[in-house]
Amino acid sequence: MPFEGNHEKDIGLETTDGPVCVFDTQDGQIKLAEDIFVSGVEFFLTSIADGDRSFAERITWKNMQSLPYWQQHAFAELDGPTATDAEFGAAMAKV
């Protein structure tokens, strides 16, 4: 998630590539990228997407692609259609 507003202190790990969310780390290590993607989809599916899996995936892709760490460590599941800037902004305002 973007580290701003209510989430500015949700940094779980600082890396040379940027901060990583507390929910994406475990025991001082970054979780598997695929697991982080699935968790992101599940979070957005229940919190803002009203059960629309496609929308939850697009928000997750947009979110992960916006973070410095994932820009440096891309993975196959990260390559998909993203939410528009308007959709993403509206979604982030809800979390």
Side-chain angles (χ1 to χ4, degrees):
M1 68 185 68
F3 301 113
E4 53 192 45
N6 292 334
H7 303 286
E8 66 185 352
K9 296 184 181 184
D10 286 344
I11 297 172
L13 183 66
E14 290 279 357
T15 72
T16 56
D17 298 312
V20 179
C21 179
V22 66
F23 300 108
D24 297 341
T25 61
Q26 184 174 359
D27 300 325
Q29 300 291 320
I30 299 170
K31 294 178 183 178
L32 294 175
E34 295 79 3
D35 293 341
I36 293 170
F37 178 76
V38 168
S39 293
V41 171
E42 290 173 1
F43 171 77
F44 289 123
L45 188 63
T46 59
S47 65
I48 60 159
D50 295 325
D52 183 342
R53 183 166 198 82
S54 174
F55 182 62
E57 289 175 350
R58 290 191 344 265
I59 293 293
T60 303
W61 280 314
K62 177 85 166 181
N63 184 51
M64 290 181 79
Q65 290 174 6
S66 73
L67 299 172
Y69 182 83
W70 297 114
Q71 291 170 2
Q72 298 298 318
H73 300 277
F75 59 100
E77 285 82 0
L78 196 55
D79 186 26
T82 62
T84 66
D85 289 342
E87 288 173 322
F88 186 71
M92 291 299 104
K94 293 180 181 181
V95 293

